[in-house]
Amino acid sequence: SIFHLKMSNSQKQKPGPHVALLPSSGMGHLTPFLRFAVSLAQEDVQVTLITTHPTISHAESQTLSHFFSNFPHITPKQLNLLPLKNAGSDNSEDPFYLKYEAIRQSSPLLKPLLSSLSPPLSALVTDMSLASTVIPVTQSLSLPNYILFTSSAQMLTLFVSFHTIVGSKAPNDSDKTEDFFQTPGLQPIPKSWIPPPLLSDTPNLLKTQIIENGKKMIQSDGILINTFQTIEQDSLGALNDGKVVNGLPRVIPIGPFPPLHIEKSQSIAWLDDQPDGSVLYVSFGSRTAMSREQIRELGDGLERSGCMFLWVVKERKVDREDEGELGEVMGDGFIERVKGKGLVVKNWVNQEEVISHKAVGGFLSHCGWNSVSEAMWNGVPILAWPQHGDQKMNAFVVDRIGLGLWVEEWGWGGGEVVVKGEEIGEKVRDIMGNELVKVGARQVREEARRAVGDGGGSKKGLIEVIEVWKKSL
Ligand code: UDP
Ligand code: UDP
């Protein structure tokens, strides 16, 4: 607790190392940084959290203000972003990638900020999407730079090696490899799992950023990652044996980060009235819009499944713009028809709280890595429906470790195919009734908690890094 932290700090003779953290934009990047900040503070590290302004989503600004009032011993430091320049010609870019770019372009402002902090820093920990523009700054200050990779180790293998693969041969060079990417040292990855912008010949921000960041990460002092050994042994092993990229710094699994239980926004009382394990929670994260056509098929599927559900509907990527009336979005008296069976909401929910509720027995998820790690933490089976980015790589992990099922044929979201209600209903019934997956999910939960508990592999990794920082004092 906060009280405990204050006590142990004031009793100590010598203050711990001072470390600054720099998250990127979007809740999927901010959330793991907040959890990491608290884990460090619990080990007597002094933490300065650099926040970039303005934030893109309402969720981030709300969360930050709640966070700093709940954790007053973590010091906020604001970085005001420069206006974005030359970020590609077309405006079809994802607004979140544009925001990464704005932070990247503002990196030079970090130099005076970092050198003004007191006591002097032992390290800066940066989000992977900022690596190539931030590492030169820390190098110029002779400050150790660590990366916090907020996705799976499976994704990290692609992230750090993509620049070596791309351009090494034309996409259709050889018949045998045409449908696969050979990541060095690992099983080939089907091309259908690769984020589509990476395969595109049209220049785009995601591709440029992954190439530049992936290349530069070799110059960081260590890569911390929100995963754990038991679920991603192969990827972590290959990365640390130098099989993926030669000379990569050590990759240290320190996850899954436990939830923070920051102040609750309104709880969902409806859940309290539902039988244990009866409710499917449906959410595609904080930044994924679904077409109205697909929303209606999904509604049809949930209704057909006969299962109870709690569904967070999103029509726009950025929450401030998501204004459609729920009744109109769903159409045709859907909300009335499912009354008593399902609850549909359009606002932000406290997912940590929802997913740990005893009524929730399944999660239809896009497989953002934070959603996956929250499902792991609570042993909730996932029905994986990846929509974009790293999500197919994560869905593969979910399926492989027995945490859930992935229907690969559903493809990416966003109109590649419209998945029909009938099929969705069938898979929802599958996941809610699948005893094998329930057992698998419960086992992952045990392993997750063991990893970050005393003596666990991820806890040891964290302590080791802190010991390195202490030596610089
Ligand atoms: N989240 C939440 N309420 C919502 C939507 C998302 O609390 O209504 C949280 C979720 O618990 C997770 C984060 O926002 O911690 C989203 O990150 P994730 O990696 O799952 O997906 P992204 O939103 O980045 O696609
Ligand atoms: N909200 C949001 N994202 C968040 C937190 C809140 O969109 O991360 C919305 C929420 O749906 C509500 C409003 O902001 O409409 C107020 O938020 P909250 O529930 O946190 O209430 P407060 O504690 O600020 O009174």
Side-chain angles (χ1 to χ4, degrees):
S1 69
I2 292 163
F3 177 69
H4 168 81
L5 281 165
K6 279 190 182 144
M7 288 296 292
S8 61
N9 268 338
S10 60
Q11 283 161 355
K12 270 182 77 87
Q13 307 294 326
K14 197 175 149 199
H18 180 198
V19 171
L21 311 185
L22 178 65
S24 191
S25 86
M27 285 299 287
H29 293 262
L30 180 59
T31 302
F33 267 85
L34 300 182
R35 292 175 181 159
F36 177 53
V38 171
S39 305
L40 289 177
Q42 278 164 352
E43 302 298 331
D44 288 331
V45 174
Q46 300 182 60
V47 180
T48 294
L49 183 75
I50 303 170
T51 63
T52 51
H53 292 263
T55 60
I56 177 168
S57 64
H58 185 60
E60 289 162 87
S61 37
Q62 289 271 319
T63 300
L64 282 169
S65 73
H66 287 165
F67 179 79
F68 287 119
S69 55
N70 276 257
F71 298 97
H73 53 295
I74 291 174
T75 311
K77 190 82 196 178
Q78 185 160 326
L79 180 75
N80 294 311
L81 298 175
L82 299 168
L84 185 63
K85 277 192 278 189
N86 310 322
S89 46
D90 69 292
N91 48 13
S92 65
E93 286 287 4
D94 183 300
F96 288 88
Y97 296 153
L98 285 167
K99 200 60 158 185
Y100 301 172
E101 197 55 31
I103 305 175
R104 292 164 54 76
Q105 290 180 10
S106 301
S107 297
L109 302 178
L110 277 171
K111 192 168 176 173
L113 186 152
L114 294 172
S115 40
S116 73
L117 295 178
S118 168
L121 292 172
S122 296
L124 174 70
V125 184
T126 317
D127 186 276
M128 71 277 201
S129 64
L130 312 174
S132 71
T133 58
V134 171
I135 290 176
V137 174
T138 49
Q139 283 172 339
S140 75
L141 293 167
S142 303
L143 180 65
N145 185 302
Y146 288 73
I147 302 298
L148 177 59
F149 195 80
T150 61
S151 183
S152 53
Q154 169 76 22
M155 183 60 195
L156 178 58
T157 63
L158 178 68
F159 196 96
V160 293
S161 66
F162 182 69
H163 68 94
T164 66
I165 306 165
V166 73
S168 65
K169 67 164 93 113
N172 294 333
D173 249 10
S174 130
D175 285 344
K176 262 197 276 169
T177 57
E178 131 179 68
D179 296 328
F180 292 91
F181 246 142
Q182 182 61 60
T183 29
L186 283 159
Q187 295 287 317
I189 298 170
K191 282 215 173 132
S192 60
W193 298 4
I194 307 283
L198 296 189
L199 299 174
S200 165
D201 290 330
T202 315
N204 62 78
L205 282 177
L206 182 69
K207 188 170 177 177
T208 328
Q209 290 173 356
I210 288 195
I211 290 174
E212 291 183 2
N213 291 321
K215 247 185 231 168
K216 197 72 180 178
M217 257 155 72
I218 208 162
Q219 292 177 25
S220 72
D221 293 283
I223 300 171
L224 311 175
I225 181 167
N226 184 20
T227 190
F228 55 109
Q229 198 70 40
T230 35
I231 60 160
E232 294 209 86
Q233 223 157 0
D234 293 356
S235 303
L236 290 166
L239 286 159
N240 280 327
D241 291 345
K243 288 183 183 145
V244 181
V245 175
N246 208 356
L248 195 69
R250 207 150 81 83
V251 177
I252 308 160
I254 57 169
F257 297 136
L260 292 183
H261 308 296
I262 308 186
E263 128 172 16
K264 313 273 183 256
S265 36
Q266 326 84 308
S267 298
I268 298 179
W270 178 81
L271 281 176
D272 299 340
D273 300 330
Q274 311 311 322
D276 288 4
S278 67
V279 175
L280 177 77
Y281 170 55
V282 182
S283 170
F284 299 89
S286 66
R287 53 185 279 188
T288 300
M290 194 169 257
S291 70
R292 206 167 266 200
E293 190 185 8
Q294 185 63 80
I295 287 177
R296 299 217 175 154
E297 288 295 337
L298 174 50
D300 181 47
L302 293 172
E303 197 177 352
R304 282 168 187 270
S305 76
C307 300
M308 310 285 256
F309 60 88
L310 166 60
W311 178 14
V312 188
V313 174
K314 258 180 84 62
E315 272 201 302
R316 296 279 178 274
K317 289 181 179 175
V318 179
D319 56 4
R320 300 182 207 274
E321 297 163 3
D322 212 342
E323 285 166 343
E325 270 299 317
L326 194 52
E328 198 217 317
V329 175
M330 305 309 306
D332 277 355
F334 178 83
I335 305 283
E336 285 70 45
R337 277 205 312 285
V338 300
K339 223 166 225 147
K341 286 250 114 200
L343 186 65
V344 189
V345 298
K346 243 184 138 276
N347 55 323
W348 184 261
V349 301
N350 184 340
Q351 179 166 305
E352 283 182 349
E353 190 181 315
V354 168
I355 208 171
S356 64
H357 198 288
K358 62 184 179 10
V360 171
F363 183 9
L364 173 52
S365 171
H366 70 314
C367 294
W369 191 244
N370 298 289
S371 290
V372 171
S373 71
E374 288 153 20
M376 293 193 293
W377 188 259
N378 292 289
V380 176
I382 288 182
L383 176 55
W385 190 359
Q387 301 287 304
H388 57 86
D390 58 351
Q391 295 156 17
K392 283 194 183 179
M393 300 291 264
N394 301 343
F396 166 69
V397 176
V398 165
D399 198 279
R400 188 174 45 80
I401 66 176
L403 176 64
L405 307 172
W406 173 24
V407 193
E408 242 191 284
E409 304 80 69
W410 288 2
W412 295 107
E416 194 185 32
V417 276
V418 174
V419 183
K420 291 292 176 201
E422 202 166 348
E423 205 181 332
I424 298 171
E426 204 177 290
K427 297 300 176 194
V428 166
R429 276 196 304 277
D430 273 5
I431 195 79
M432 293 306 281
N434 192 316
E435 289 306 317
L436 203 64
V437 175
K438 279 194 185 106
V439 173
R442 232 172 293 154
Q443 191 172 339
V444 172
R445 176 185 189 274
E446 295 315 308
E447 287 164 357
R449 289 170 186 242
R450 204 175 304 135
V452 294
D454 286 336
S458 292
K459 180 69 170 271
K460 282 187 193 155
L462 181 71
I463 304 279
E464 253 175 67
V465 177
I466 295 172
E467 287 305 316
V468 172
W469 294 338
K470 277 187 184 160
K471 288 198 186 113
S472 73
L473 288 179

